[in-house]
Structures are given as structure tokens and as C-alpha cells.
Amino acid sequence: MWVLGVTERRVMGAFWVLNLVLFLVQVVGIKGAHGIGEHGVRIWPMPLSVSHSHKSLYVGKDFKIMSQGSKYKDASGILKDGFSRFLAVVKGAHVVDGDTSKLDQSRVLQGLNVFISSTKDELQYGIDESYKLLVPSPDKPTYAHLEAQTVYGALHGLQTLSQLCQFNFSSRVIEILMTPWIINDQPRFSFRGLLIDTSRHYQPLPIIKNVIDSMAYAKLNVLHWHIVDTQSFPLEIPSYPKLWDGAYSTSERYTMADAAEIKRGINVLAELDVPGHALSWGKGYPSLWPSKDCQEPLDVSNEFTFKVIDGILSDFSKVFKYKFVHLGGDEVNTSCWTLTPHVSKWLKEHSMNESQAYQYFVLQAQKIALLHGYEIVNWEETFNNFGNKLSPKTVVHNWLGGGVAQRVVAAGLRCIVSNQDKWYLDHLDTTWEQFYMNEPLTNITKSEQQKLVIGGEVCMWGETVDASDIQQTIWPRAAAAAERLWTPYDKLAKEAKQVTGRLAHFRCLLNQRGIAAAPLAADTPLTQPGRSAPLEPGSCYLQ
């Protein structure tokens, strides 16, 4: 048995007292400006505008969806599936066996009417994600009412409605407190991403689907799939079928049909990181290596290299319909090119040094992607080295540090912010408070330049995560960033501690939905802020 020393017991005791104070102040109801939200609102992320009162309603046993007057016909079943998932999470935490027929029927909601203006259901960057939610409808008091321009705005509205629902242990039915609710909402940024890395550790398909479901709960909308890297190449590429010889094993692979499965209402930004981070490609096609002894980056002198890239992107275009593809371009050590005789000879024949060859490779890959109809995302090293040569359709992905986004937008290019000191989830010493306070528009004051920051992304690099610990490493810190990316700037808390109670409530909600979100750990001698375990017995809301 592990026996705590005096110092450790004091640390844990002090930590428990601190949490108890936070609980009393922020959960029980002694509210600060944002303690559990505006006037007791616990929705995460905080909507654009919220009003409510003090009455309670109940969700009927046969709660149904209607689309009276809606222009959207749901031919693909997107709304139907979203409503089924809504019912599953609302009723999933407990057995709902109460009899609503014995309740005041004027207080029982029979269903939800959803009105969607657009007939289209294409999932793409920049679609309208706004919605308006009324609980109950003023025109039909036994129904809730949800309006949206697109079906994807309606899905966000369903997520918000699900957070208003809770189980009543007396009546054994689902209730909605503090009605009537009037919520108007829309995102601050169009790109709100989470990166997962399936090269360093294979993530089984059900785990990826589970991650996507959890993203939807926090209104993140882009899964950046870092599919392949130095360590493994797990994805099927029909044009070049030996590429997935680079997988760890024959069972740790994804078919193209698997790849098509993981969308589930989320944009998928597929990444093909070139020319570095690509050693695994040569397991199936050794000629992609400069030599057997010098295997990375990809051979810039070999035309076959670019034919393979073209084939991969051709296959991508059949499955990954998001307007962007990520072409990497980071951490390229070009010494292999000068050390390999035939590559060194090619460089001399083309009057290139290593840096020029790196630029050539990136720009060639960009041209191929453009021919397949993609716009391009590249890691920031490409901008730092030859930003004025990049395609104007490039989005620069900032990761190394601050100040880069300012320079990118000043140059007229778009930017995604993921600075590693604040938004890298594999940095286990980065606190949720730091995730919350990281502002993508820092020192960008001109409105036309602010518009070029299309959003941000938290990155779950895979060196130390597999199926056993990915969710508790992602959550709840990713949720802190999700509010920064969704909620209007003037609605964000000025200090992270003001949202502690509301984020703790959301973390517990994730747990109730089967998402293994970790506690809101403090940085103490016994814990790390990322992927921590509870210190001792107690309520979920105290951790």
C-alpha cells in the first residue's frame, strides 16, 4: 500500500479545501460574473445570447422531431441521425421510467419543431452554423422550436438543447429547468479544430468515432487527421497499394471505406506531411527514400515521388471532401539530400542548394493539390522560409510560437493558430486555464487582417496516447479552447477561474456521456494538468 507522507497529505488536504471553496462558490450557487455562467447558465461553450426564466418543463416519453414549414428535406438523414444521437445522450445517463401522463400536460414537451432555411446539406468550410432555440415555442407551447440556416446549425442547436436537459430523480423523467429559454448563437471562428495522430499510435475506428462525437458536444467542427508519419503509414491508398506496408501491422490499418465513415457531421482535414516525416512510405516503395541508409526526407530528385503524391491526393479527393488538404512541410532536415550522391548530383544539375530544393518540393506538392481542387494548409516553416513563394490559396498553420499569425496575415495569407506553448495537448504541463486564455487574435488589430485568421486548433500528438488514454488527454482542456473559438470575444471570461464551475460541470457531463474526460487538475507536486487522475474520493464536480 502507498502511504502518504506528511507533506503529501498537507498538499492533498489544501487542494481538497481549495476545490471545496470553488464548489461552494461556483456550483452550489454563490455566483461570480461567470462562475457557472451568466445567471446560472451552464451551457458550454457559452452562446452568443441567452435569456431564461424560472419555470420547469418535462420531456415527453415519445418526444419527436417535426419539420413543419422547413425547406430542408433531410434526404441524407443527417438531421434524423442527429436527433437520434440527441435522444441517446439525453436518456443515456439513467433509466427514464417515469410516467409523464401523470404530470401537468401543459408542462410536458411533446417534441421539437426544426425549421431549416437551406435545402443543401453539403458540409464545407464557411457554412452558416447559426441557430435560434426557443424552449418552449411561443406559438406551440408543448413543443420546442429550433431555427437554422443549415442542417449543421440545427445540429449545434440540438447539442445546446441536450445540455438544458437533466434527469429528475423524483419523477424519473427528463426535465428542462429555467424555461422559457431564448438562445441565439453562432460561432466566432469558422475553423475550430482538433488534431489526432494515427501514425505514432494506431487509433481504432470506434475510438476515432468516439472522439468525433465528443468534438460535437463542444462544437468543434474540424478533425485534423494526421494520418501518416515517420513511424507508420496505416491508410489504404488504392493508387499505390504497397504504401500501407508501412503500417505497424496488418490489423492496424484503415481502409478507404473506414476513412469515409469518420465524417459524422465533422469536416475532416486530411494531412499528408511532405517531404519530411515520411520514412514509412519507403517500406512499400523503397525508391521513395534517397537511399536505404538515408531514408528521409522523400527523394526530391525522383519524379516517382511526385507521381505517388499525385496518386494519394487523387484518392484523397474521392473521400475527403473538405476544401483544404494539409501538406505538412515542417521539420525538414535536408542533409540527406546532400549526403546521397544521386540526389546531390541532381541538385547541382538544377542549380539548387538544400533550402531551394525544400522550397521546390513544397511548391510542387502545392501545385498537385491545387490540380485536385484543394486549397492548401502548410505548417509555418514553409512561410518562415519562403512565404512570398507560397500559393495565395495557402493557409499557414502556426505552431512554433507567438507573433507568426501577425506576420502571416500582414502578408495577406490566412492563418490557423495552434501555438505549441498553449494549444498542444501532448504538453501535459499546460493547464486548462492556459488553453482558455490563448487568444488567436493577439496583437492583430486591423479588422481585415483579423478575418484572415480562420480559427484555431488544439493538437493531440500521438507519441504518448493510444486508445487507452486519448480522451482524458484531450478533455477537458480542448473544451477550454473550444469556448475561445466559439464564443464572442466580449462574452469570454476575462480570467479563466471565472469559468471553473461551468467547465467542471461540462467535464462531468462528458463523463456521463461515456467520454473519459479527466479532472480539472491543478498543477501540484502530485498532479499534472493534462491527463491527471482524481486525487481522492469525492464528487465529480469537486475534481
Side-chain angles (χ1 to χ4, degrees), residues 513-526:
R513 294 180 178 184
I515 306 299
L520 273 64
D523 194 2
T524 76
L526 300 179

Side-chain angles (χ1 to χ4, degrees), residues 11-28:
V11 168
M12 290 181 69
F15 186 70
W16 186 90
V17 170
L18 174 62
N19 270 324
L20 178 60
V21 171
L22 285 171
F23 176 74
L24 291 172
V25 171
Q26 295 170 325
V27 179
V28 175

Side-chain angles (χ1 to χ4, degrees), residues 306-380:
F306 297 100
K307 288 181 180 178
V308 171
I309 292 172
D310 180 60
I312 294 172
L313 292 177
S314 175
D315 290 344
F316 273 19
S317 68
K318 298 177 179 69
V319 174
F320 301 119
K321 300 298 184 179
Y322 196 39
K323 73 181 289 185
F324 299 112
V325 69
H326 205 304
L327 294 179
D330 62 314
E331 299 180 318
V332 181
N333 180 352
T334 55
S335 60
C336 196
W337 288 342
T338 55
L339 294 172
T340 305
H342 79 269
V343 182
S344 179
K345 179 183 177 183
W346 182 89
L347 292 176
K348 290 175 183 176
E349 290 173 350
H350 290 79
S351 302
M352 290 185 196
N353 59 30
E354 295 172 62
S355 297
Q356 291 168 326
Y358 167 42
Q359 174 183 312
Y360 168 80
F361 197 115
V362 169
L363 297 184
Q364 285 297 106
Q366 284 202 339
K367 289 176 184 176
I368 294 169
L370 290 168
L371 288 173
H372 287 288
Y374 283 116
E375 296 185 25
I376 307 124
V377 183
N378 276 114
W379 293 109
E380 70 173 68

Side-chain angles (χ1 to χ4, degrees), residues 44-73:
W44 194 282
M46 183 62 74
L48 172 65
S49 70
V50 182
S51 69
H52 63 88
S53 188
H54 60 277
K55 298 179 181 179
S56 60
L57 295 175
Y58 300 99
V59 175
K61 181 180 179 181
D62 298 316
F63 191 79
K64 59 188 178 182
I65 190 170
M66 295 176 56
S67 54
Q68 196 169 17
S70 180
K71 298 178 181 178
Y72 180 70
K73 301 306 179 186

